[in-house]
Amino acid sequence: MKTLQAWAFQYRTVLFILFLLTGVLAAAIIVQSYAIVQVVDGVFVQDVSFEEISFFLVILVGALLIRSVVNYSNARLGLHLSLTVRKSIRNDLLSKWTKQPVSEKGRNQTGEKLTTLIDYVDQLDPYFREYVPQVIKTTIVPLAILISVFIVNPNSGWIMLITAPFIPISYILVGLKTQQKSDRQLAELSFFSGKFLDILQGLQTLKLFGRGKEQATVLKETNAGFQKTTLSILKIAFASSFFIELIITLGIGLLALEIGFQMLVFETLAFAPAFFVLAIAPEYYNSLKELGAAFHTGRGSLAAAEKLKEELDAKEKSVKWGSSPLRYPVRLDLNQATYSYGGEFTLQIDALEALPNERLVIIGPSGQGKTTLLGVLAGLYDPLTGAIVVNGKERNTVDESSWWDQTTYISQHPYLFSGTIRENIEMGTVSSDDELKHAIEASGLTELISTLPQGWSTAVGEGGRGLSGGEKQRIALARSFLKKPALVFYDEPTIGLDVKTERILSQSMESLSETATVITVAHRLPTIRKADKIAVLEDGRLVAFGPPEHVIRENAYAASLLEGGDDV
Ligand code: ADP
C-alpha cells in the first residue's frame, strides 16, 4: 500500500479537508444519538411536554442534515482525489511512453498498454474514492464514539473496545488469503485484454488461414480462467461478510446484556445513558465494518498500483541528445561502434562514413544487422560503445528536435493514420497546394490520386487500409519530399513492391540525395547500382565498404548480387 499512500499524500490539502469534515461528522453522530435519547427519555420516561423536547427535535434534524452534507462532501472529495490521481498517473504514463526510445516501443503488446492506461489506472479508483475517506472516517468516528461511551458508561466502553479489533483482524486475514488470487486475477485480465486485441488485429490473417475457431477456443479458455478466479475471490468475500455480521451481532448482544444487568439487576444505570449506548453502538460497529468493505475494494487497487509503479519506474536506455543544432550538409561517421539488443546478436562496426549528400547503401543477407545499423545511424538507438560522429561532433551533442526536423526515416512498413491522404502526407504540418502537388508528383502518386473521387482529400483507413504496400511506401516518400530533409534513412521493403514503385523509389532516392545524405538498406539492384558507396554486412560486422566497383572486387556476396542481377 506504500505506493498508493505516497500517491495520496501528494494531495495533503484534500486529506486535511477530509479530516476536518470527518471530525464534524463524528460530532454530528454523537449529537444525533444524544438528541434521540433526550427525546425518547422526555416522552416515555420523564413524560415532559412537547415544547420541552422540541429543542432536541431541532437539534436532531440539524445533526441529520449535517451528517448528510458531510457524507456528500466526503464522497465528492473522494471522487475528486481519485480523478486527480488517475489523471496525473495517466499523464505520467503517456509522457513516459512518448519519450520511450524506439527500441523499447515493441516491449509490450498494444493491448497490454491500453489495459495499463485504462483498466489498471481505473482500478485505483476504489482506493482513493472509497478507501481513503473511509480510513479517515474509521480513525475518527469510532474513537469519538468510544470516548463518549466511556464517559457515559465505562463498562460498555470496555466491551466495545475489546470486540472492535475482531472486525479488522478478520478483514486482514481475508485480505491475505485473497491477495494471491487478486494478483492472479489482474494478470489474467491483462493477458486476456492483450490477447483479445491481438486476435482482433489479426482477424483477417486468422480467417485466411482458417484458424479462427482455435483462437476462439483460446479466448474462451482464458475467459473461463478469469471468471473462475473472480468467483473464488467473491466466495471468500461473501463468507467474510457473514463472519463480520456475526461479530457485530454478538458485540451488540453483549452490550445489551451488560446494560440489562446494570439497569435491572444492579440498578446502577439510568435509562438515558443505557439508551445512548445502545443507540450509538451500531454506528460504532458499522463504521468499522465499512472500513473492512472499503479495504476489500481498496485491496483490488494494490496489484494495479504495483503494476503501474513498475511501468512508471522502469529504467530504459534512452537516447542521449545535446543542444547544438544540426548543420547542413551532413556527414556521418561511425567509430568503433557496437550495439546489442541483449541477445546473441551484436553489431560491431569499426569504421563507416557517409559523406555530405552521398548515397550510402547497406546490403547483406537477412538477419545480418542492416536495420539495426540504420537505426543506430538514425539516432533511434545509442551505440553501447564507440560513437556516431555528425559533422565532426558526437551525435549526442546534437539537439534532438533539430535532428528530427531535418531527418526522414522510412521504415519497411510506414504507418498511415486514419485520415485523408493529404493529412497523412503533411503529418501535422501545413503546406500549400503547390508544395503538396510537387511532393505527390515526385513520389509517383499523381496517377493514383487522379483516379480517386476526392483526390488527396480521400480518407484512408487506420494503418493505411485500402492502400497497397507500394502506395503506402509512396505516401511515406511524399512525406520526405514535403519535408526536404538533410538526412534520409530508408529501410527498403524486402518484398511486395510493384515494378513501378521500385522505379519511383530509386528515382526518388536519387533526387533526394541532391540535397540530403541518403542511407538505404537495399534489396534491389537499381538502388544498389546507383550507390556512391556500398557497405556489406555479415553477422553484424562490416565485411566490405567502398564504391560499388571496389566492393565487387572485395566481396563475393556483393559481386554475385551485382553481377547476377537478382534481388536480395
Ligand atoms: P537485417 O536488417 O539485416 O535483416 P536486423 O538488424 O533486423 O537484420 O536484425 C539483426 C539481428 O538482431 C537479428 O538476429 C534479429 O533477430 C535481432 N533483432 C532485431 N531487432 C531486434 C529487437 N528489437 N530485439 C531483439 N533482437 C532484435
Side-chain angles (χ1 to χ4, degrees):
M1 294 243 167
K2 266 194 195 139
T3 311
L4 287 163
Q5 276 165 5
W7 284 336
F9 272 115
Q10 286 174 358
Y11 304 93
R12 285 194 188 83
T13 323
V14 179
L15 298 183
F16 180 70
I17 301 172
L18 273 170
F19 260 106
L20 271 185
L21 285 175
T22 311
V24 174
L25 180 73
I29 291 173
I30 295 169
V31 169
Q32 179 198 322
S33 298
Y34 177 75
I36 291 175
V37 169
Q38 291 307 318
V39 171
V40 174
D41 191 47
V43 173
F44 296 103
V45 183
Q46 313 289 346
D47 210 7
V48 294
S49 65
F50 179 75
E51 280 78 43
E52 279 176 75
I53 58 155
S54 59
F55 169 69
F56 290 108
L57 279 174
V58 173
I59 298 243
L60 179 61
V61 172
L64 282 170
L65 269 178
I66 289 173
R67 277 187 78 169
S68 313
V69 171
V70 172
N71 277 332
Y72 174 77
S73 312
N74 278 2
R76 291 293 304 225
L77 277 171
L79 182 67
H80 171 75
L81 184 66
S82 162
L83 285 173
T84 320
V85 173
R86 282 184 289 151
K87 190 170 156 193
S88 128
I89 291 174
R90 282 206 173 105
N91 280 342
D92 290 351
L93 278 174
L94 285 174
S95 89
K96 187 174 175 100
W97 287 339
T98 37
K99 287 187 196 127
Q100 212 168 34
V102 179
S103 53
E104 295 288 332
K105 289 220 182 338
R107 201 160 49 90
N108 298 344
Q109 293 166 307
T110 315
E112 201 178 324
K113 275 212 165 99
L114 275 180
T115 312
T116 308
L117 189 69
I118 298 170
D119 297 336
Y120 286 178
V121 176
D122 276 347
Q123 279 174 24
L124 300 182
D125 177 60
Y127 180 86
F128 294 102
R129 195 156 58 96
E130 293 172 31
Y131 184 68
V132 170
Q134 191 58 48
V135 168
I136 294 173
K137 188 174 168 188
T138 310
T139 331
I140 296 177
V141 173
L143 195 70
I145 294 178
L146 205 60
I147 292 171
S148 71
V149 171
F150 263 108
I151 293 170
V152 173
N153 181 27
N155 289 342
S156 304
W158 284 113
I159 293 177
M160 284 164 83
L161 188 65
I162 291 163
T163 47
F166 288 103
I167 298 174
I169 285 174
S170 71
Y171 274 117
I172 289 167
L173 288 178
V174 171
L176 289 176
K177 201 161 162 40
T178 47
Q179 181 163 3
Q180 253 184 350
K181 279 188 195 257
S182 74
D183 288 352
R184 201 170 76 214
Q185 185 201 27
L186 203 70
E188 276 170 354
L189 175 69
S190 155
F191 178 74
F192 181 67
S193 319
K195 191 93 196 145
F196 187 65
L197 194 74
D198 236 20
I199 290 177
L200 218 59
Q201 282 172 336
L203 205 58
Q204 203 175 9
T205 315
L206 289 171
K207 266 191 167 169
L208 292 177
F209 281 83
R211 286 276 181 269
K213 281 216 172 75
E214 284 81 350
Q215 289 302 328
T217 320
V218 172
L219 274 189
K220 224 173 176 175
E221 278 165 10
T222 327
N223 188 19
F226 179 62
Q227 273 178 8
K228 218 169 127 192
T229 320
T230 311
L231 281 176
S232 70
I233 293 176
L234 284 177
K235 210 161 79 183
I236 300 174
F238 286 141
S240 88
S241 296
F242 172 73
F243 182 62
I244 282 152
E245 289 299 337
L246 202 71
I247 297 174
I248 295 176
T249 315
L250 285 178
I252 295 178
L254 216 60
L255 273 178
L257 199 69
E258 175 263 334
I259 285 169
F261 267 107
Q262 281 200 69
M263 275 181 77
L264 304 173
V265 181
F266 302 111
E267 293 185 0
T268 49
L269 198 63
F271 172 77
F275 187 48
F276 176 79
V277 171
L278 284 179
I280 211 162
E283 302 272 6
Y284 173 80
Y285 288 110
N286 272 338
S287 63
L288 288 172
K289 186 179 81 176
E290 281 164 11
L291 174 71
F295 177 75
H296 260 311
T297 24
R299 264 287 295 112
S301 306
L302 199 62
E306 292 308 319
K307 178 89 189 154
L308 286 168
K309 190 165 164 37
E310 204 179 287
E311 184 67 39
L312 286 170
D313 289 352
K315 294 250 179 305
E316 283 149 3
K317 285 180 270 167
S318 54
V319 177
K320 288 187 194 69
W321 296 95
S323 52
S324 325
L326 178 68
R327 301 220 185 275
Y328 176 83
V330 185
R331 175 194 165 125
L332 283 181
D333 286 90
L334 269 192
N335 294 330
Q336 306 294 337
T338 61
Y339 185 78
S340 156
Y341 295 102
E344 278 184 12
F345 172 79
T346 308
L347 179 81
Q348 190 167 353
I349 307 289
D350 294 337
L352 177 74
E353 61 178 25
L355 299 178
N357 297 0
E358 191 174 64
R359 293 181 64 192
L360 170 66
V361 160
I362 305 166
I363 61 168
S366 172
Q368 304 303 304
K370 301 183 296 294
T371 304
T372 310
L373 173 60
L374 197 70
V376 170
L377 285 166
L380 301 182
Y381 323 119
D382 256 340
L384 297 181
T385 57
I388 313 171
V389 179
V390 182
N391 294 341
K393 279 193 183 155
E394 288 214 15
R395 205 266 301 117
N396 58 23
T397 61
V398 177
D399 174 57
E400 185 178 7
S401 44
S402 160
W403 175 271
W404 292 115
D405 281 349
Q406 297 177 72
T407 298
T408 290
Y409 184 102
I410 307 176
S411 68
Q412 291 207 20
H413 307 286
Y415 190 80
L416 264 63
F417 299 90
S418 90
T420 64
I421 292 183
R422 181 177 192 146
E423 282 164 356
N424 264 293
I425 297 174
E426 287 180 333
M427 296 252 290
T429 59
V430 181
S431 59
S432 69
D433 284 1
D434 281 344
E435 285 170 320
L436 192 69
K437 241 184 227 160
H438 170 256
I440 284 171
E441 222 169 275
S443 54
L445 281 169
T446 319
E447 202 184 312
L448 168 78
I449 287 176
S450 68
T451 61
L452 297 172
Q454 284 160 299
W456 61 42
S457 302
T458 306
V460 290
E462 189 186 291
R465 235 172 318 196
L467 293 176
S468 74
E471 286 160 355
K472 283 189 227 171
Q473 286 283 326
R474 280 185 264 157
I475 289 192
L477 259 184
R479 287 172 178 167
S480 314
F481 279 108
L482 201 61
K483 195 171 175 183
K484 301 187 190 81
L487 263 170
V488 176
F489 297 96
Y490 180 40
D491 200 351
E492 208 177 65
T494 23
I495 40 160
L497 288 192
D498 50 291
V499 180
K500 184 179 174 199
T501 307
E502 275 190 14
R503 189 171 39 78
I504 290 165
L505 286 175
S506 94
Q507 275 169 6
S508 300
M509 288 304 138
E510 204 171 346
S511 55
L512 280 170
S513 74
E514 284 166 18
T515 51
T517 309
V518 178
I519 303 176
T520 312
V521 170
H523 305 280
R524 284 175 183 78
L525 204 56
T527 328
I528 302 171
R529 278 216 179 107
K530 283 182 186 149
D532 293 312
K533 294 231 183 77
I534 294 177
V536 187
L537 278 194
E538 206 180 295
D539 202 16
R541 282 159 202 270
L542 199 61
V543 288
F545 175 63
E549 58 281 7
H550 165 84
V551 171
I552 292 171
R553 259 183 276 126
E554 223 175 75
N555 186 272
Y557 172 75
S560 74
L561 205 67
L562 282 158
E563 282 159 6
D566 291 333
D567 285 357
V568 188

Coordinates of all heavy atoms in Angstrom, one line a residue, residues 102-104 106 339-347 362-374 381 412 491 494 521 523 537 540, ligand 1:
V102 N 12.8 4.2 -29.4 CA 12.1 3.3 -30.3 C 12.4 1.8 -30.0 O 11.5 1.0 -30.1 CB 12.6 3.6 -31.8 CG1 12.0 2.7 -32.8 CG2 12.2 5.1 -32.1
S103 N 13.6 1.5 -29.5 CA 14.0 0.2 -29.2 C 13.1 -0.4 -28.1 O 12.9 -1.6 -28.0 CB 15.4 0.1 -28.7 OG 15.6 1.0 -27.6
E104 N 12.4 0.4 -27.3 CA 11.6 -0.1 -26.2 C 10.1 -0.2 -26.6 O 9.3 -0.8 -25.9 CB 11.7 0.8 -25.0 CG 13.0 0.9 -24.3 CD 13.3 -0.3 -23.6 OE1 12.4 -1.0 -23.1 OE2 14.5 -0.7 -23.4
G106 N 8.4 -1.7 -28.8 CA 7.8 -3.0 -29.1 C 7.7 -3.9 -27.9 O 7.3 -5.1 -28.0
Y339 N 26.5 -2.3 -30.9 CA 25.1 -2.3 -30.4 C 24.6 -3.7 -30.2 O 24.9 -4.6 -31.0 CB 24.1 -1.5 -31.3 CG 22.8 -1.3 -30.7 CD1 22.6 -0.4 -29.7 CD2 21.8 -2.2 -31.0 CE1 21.3 -0.3 -29.0 CE2 20.5 -2.1 -30.4 CZ 20.3 -1.2 -29.4 OH 19.1 -1.1 -28.8
S340 N 23.8 -3.9 -29.2 CA 23.2 -5.2 -29.0 C 21.8 -5.1 -28.3 O 21.6 -4.1 -27.6 CB 24.1 -6.0 -28.1 OG 23.4 -7.0 -27.4
Y341 N 20.9 -5.9 -28.7 CA 19.5 -5.9 -28.1 C 19.5 -6.6 -26.7 O 18.5 -6.7 -26.1 CB 18.5 -6.5 -29.0 CG 18.3 -5.8 -30.3 CD1 18.9 -6.2 -31.5 CD2 17.5 -4.6 -30.4 CE1 18.7 -5.6 -32.7 CE2 17.3 -4.0 -31.5 CZ 17.9 -4.4 -32.7 OH 17.7 -3.8 -33.9
G342 N 20.7 -7.2 -26.4 CA 20.7 -8.0 -25.2 C 20.8 -9.5 -25.5 O 21.0 -10.3 -24.6
G343 N 20.5 -9.9 -26.7 CA 20.6 -11.3 -27.1 C 21.9 -11.7 -27.7 O 22.9 -11.0 -27.3
E344 N 21.9 -12.6 -28.5 CA 23.2 -13.1 -29.1 C 23.8 -12.1 -30.1 O 25.0 -12.0 -30.3 CB 23.0 -14.5 -29.7 CG 23.0 -15.6 -28.7 CD 22.9 -16.9 -29.4 OE1 23.1 -17.1 -30.6 OE2 22.7 -17.9 -28.6
F345 N 22.9 -11.5 -30.8 CA 23.3 -10.6 -31.9 C 24.1 -9.4 -31.5 O 23.6 -8.7 -30.6 CB 22.1 -10.2 -32.8 CG 22.5 -9.2 -33.9 CD1 23.1 -9.6 -35.0 CD2 22.2 -7.9 -33.7 CE1 23.5 -8.7 -36.0 CE2 22.6 -7.0 -34.6 CZ 23.2 -7.4 -35.8
T346 N 25.2 -9.1 -32.1 CA 25.9 -7.9 -31.7 C 26.4 -7.2 -33.1 O 26.9 -7.8 -33.9 CB 27.2 -8.1 -30.9 OG1 26.8 -8.9 -29.8 CG2 27.9 -6.8 -30.4
L347 N 26.1 -5.9 -33.1 CA 26.5 -5.1 -34.3 C 27.9 -4.5 -33.9 O 28.0 -4.0 -32.8 CB 25.5 -4.0 -34.6 CG 25.9 -3.1 -35.7 CD1 25.5 -3.8 -37.0 CD2 25.1 -1.8 -35.6
I362 N 23.4 0.0 -47.7 CA 23.8 -1.1 -46.9 C 23.2 -2.4 -47.4 O 21.9 -2.4 -47.7 CB 23.3 -0.9 -45.4 CG1 23.8 0.4 -44.9 CG2 23.8 -2.0 -44.5 CD1 23.1 0.9 -43.6
I363 N 24.0 -3.4 -47.7 CA 23.4 -4.7 -48.2 C 23.9 -5.8 -47.3 O 24.8 -5.7 -46.5 CB 23.8 -4.9 -49.7 CG1 25.3 -5.0 -49.9 CG2 23.2 -3.9 -50.6 CD1 25.7 -5.6 -51.2
G364 N 23.3 -7.0 -47.5 CA 23.7 -8.2 -46.8 C 22.5 -9.1 -46.7 O 21.3 -8.6 -46.8
P365 N 22.7 -10.4 -46.4 CA 21.6 -11.3 -46.3 C 20.7 -10.9 -45.1 O 21.1 -10.2 -44.3 CB 22.2 -12.7 -46.1 CG 23.7 -12.5 -46.5 CD 24.0 -11.1 -46.3
S366 N 19.6 -11.6 -45.0 CA 18.6 -11.2 -43.9 C 19.2 -11.6 -42.6 O 19.9 -12.6 -42.4 CB 17.3 -12.0 -44.2 OG 16.5 -11.9 -43.1
G367 N 18.9 -10.7 -41.6 CA 19.3 -11.0 -40.2 C 20.7 -10.7 -39.9 O 21.2 -11.1 -38.8
Q368 N 21.4 -9.9 -40.8 CA 22.8 -9.6 -40.5 C 23.1 -8.3 -39.8 O 24.2 -8.0 -39.5 CB 23.6 -9.6 -41.9 CG 23.5 -10.9 -42.7 CD 23.9 -12.1 -41.9 OE1 25.0 -12.2 -41.4 NE2 23.0 -13.1 -41.7
G369 N 22.0 -7.5 -39.6 CA 22.1 -6.3 -38.8 C 21.9 -5.0 -39.6 O 22.3 -4.0 -39.1
K370 N 21.4 -5.1 -40.8 CA 21.3 -3.9 -41.6 C 20.3 -2.9 -41.0 O 20.6 -1.7 -40.9 CB 20.7 -4.3 -43.0 CG 21.6 -5.3 -43.8 CD 21.1 -5.6 -45.1 CE 19.8 -6.3 -45.2 NZ 19.7 -7.7 -44.6
T371 N 19.1 -3.4 -40.6 CA 18.1 -2.5 -40.0 C 18.7 -1.9 -38.7 O 18.5 -0.7 -38.4 CB 16.8 -3.2 -39.7 OG1 16.4 -3.8 -41.0 CG2 15.7 -2.3 -39.2
T372 N 19.4 -2.7 -37.9 CA 20.0 -2.3 -36.7 C 21.0 -1.1 -36.9 O 21.0 -0.1 -36.3 CB 20.6 -3.4 -35.9 OG1 19.7 -4.5 -35.9 CG2 21.1 -3.1 -34.5
L373 N 21.8 -1.3 -37.9 CA 22.8 -0.3 -38.3 C 22.1 1.0 -38.7 O 22.5 2.1 -38.3 CB 23.7 -0.8 -39.4 CG 24.7 0.2 -40.0 CD1 25.7 0.7 -38.9 CD2 25.5 -0.5 -41.1
L374 N 21.1 0.8 -39.5 CA 20.3 2.0 -39.9 C 19.8 2.8 -38.7 O 19.8 4.0 -38.6 CB 19.2 1.6 -40.9 CG 18.6 2.7 -41.7 CD1 19.6 3.2 -42.8 CD2 17.3 2.3 -42.4
Y381 N 18.8 4.4 -31.7 CA 19.5 3.7 -30.6 C 20.8 4.4 -30.4 O 21.5 4.8 -31.3 CB 19.7 2.2 -30.8 CG 18.7 1.5 -31.5 CD1 18.9 0.9 -32.8 CD2 17.4 1.3 -31.0 CE1 18.0 0.2 -33.4 CE2 16.4 0.6 -31.7 CZ 16.7 0.0 -32.9 OH 15.7 -0.6 -33.5
Q412 N 10.3 -0.2 -43.2 CA 9.8 -1.1 -44.2 C 8.2 -1.1 -44.3 O 7.7 -1.3 -45.3 CB 10.2 -2.6 -43.8 CG 11.6 -2.8 -43.9 CD 12.0 -4.2 -44.2 OE1 11.1 -5.0 -44.6 NE2 13.2 -4.6 -44.0
D491 N 14.7 2.1 -45.1 CA 14.7 0.7 -45.0 C 13.9 0.1 -46.1 O 12.6 0.0 -45.9 CB 14.3 0.3 -43.6 CG 14.8 -1.1 -43.2 OD1 15.3 -1.8 -44.1 OD2 14.6 -1.5 -42.0
T494 N 11.6 -5.7 -48.1 CA 12.3 -6.9 -48.7 C 11.4 -7.4 -49.8 O 11.9 -7.9 -50.8 CB 12.5 -8.0 -47.6 OG1 11.6 -7.8 -46.6 CG2 13.9 -8.0 -47.2
V521 N 18.9 0.8 -46.7 CA 19.1 -0.6 -46.6 C 18.5 -1.2 -47.9 O 17.3 -1.0 -48.0 CB 18.4 -1.2 -45.4 CG1 18.4 -2.7 -45.4 CG2 19.1 -0.8 -44.1
H523 N 17.6 -3.9 -51.1 CA 17.5 -5.3 -51.6 C 17.4 -5.3 -53.1 O 17.2 -6.4 -53.6 CB 16.2 -5.9 -51.0 CG 16.1 -5.7 -49.5 ND1 16.8 -6.6 -48.7 CD2 15.6 -4.8 -48.7 CE1 16.6 -6.3 -47.4 NE2 15.9 -5.2 -47.4
L537 N 27.2 -6.1 -44.9 CA 27.2 -6.6 -43.5 C 27.1 -8.1 -43.5 O 26.4 -8.7 -44.3 CB 26.0 -6.0 -42.8 CG 26.0 -4.6 -42.2 CD1 24.9 -4.4 -41.2 CD2 27.3 -4.4 -41.5
G540 N 26.7 -8.9 -38.3 CA 26.8 -7.7 -37.6 C 28.1 -6.9 -37.8 O 28.4 -5.9 -37.1
Ligands
ADP1 P1 18.5 -7.3 -41.1 O1 18.0 -5.9 -41.2 O2 19.9 -7.5 -41.7 O3 17.6 -8.4 -41.6 P2 18.2 -6.8 -38.3 O4 19.1 -5.7 -38.0 O5 16.7 -6.6 -38.4 O6 18.8 -7.6 -39.5 O7 18.4 -7.9 -37.1 C1 19.7 -8.4 -36.7 C2 19.5 -9.3 -35.6 O8 19.0 -8.6 -34.5 C3 18.6 -10.5 -35.9 O9 19.2 -11.6 -35.3 C4 17.3 -10.1 -35.2 O10 16.7 -11.2 -34.7 C5 17.8 -9.3 -34.0 N1 16.9 -8.2 -33.7 C6 16.4 -7.3 -34.5 N2 15.5 -6.4 -33.8 C7 15.5 -6.8 -32.6 C8 14.8 -6.4 -31.4 N3 14.0 -5.3 -31.4 N4 15.1 -7.1 -30.2 C9 15.9 -8.1 -30.2 N5 16.5 -8.6 -31.3 C10 16.4 -8.0 -32.4

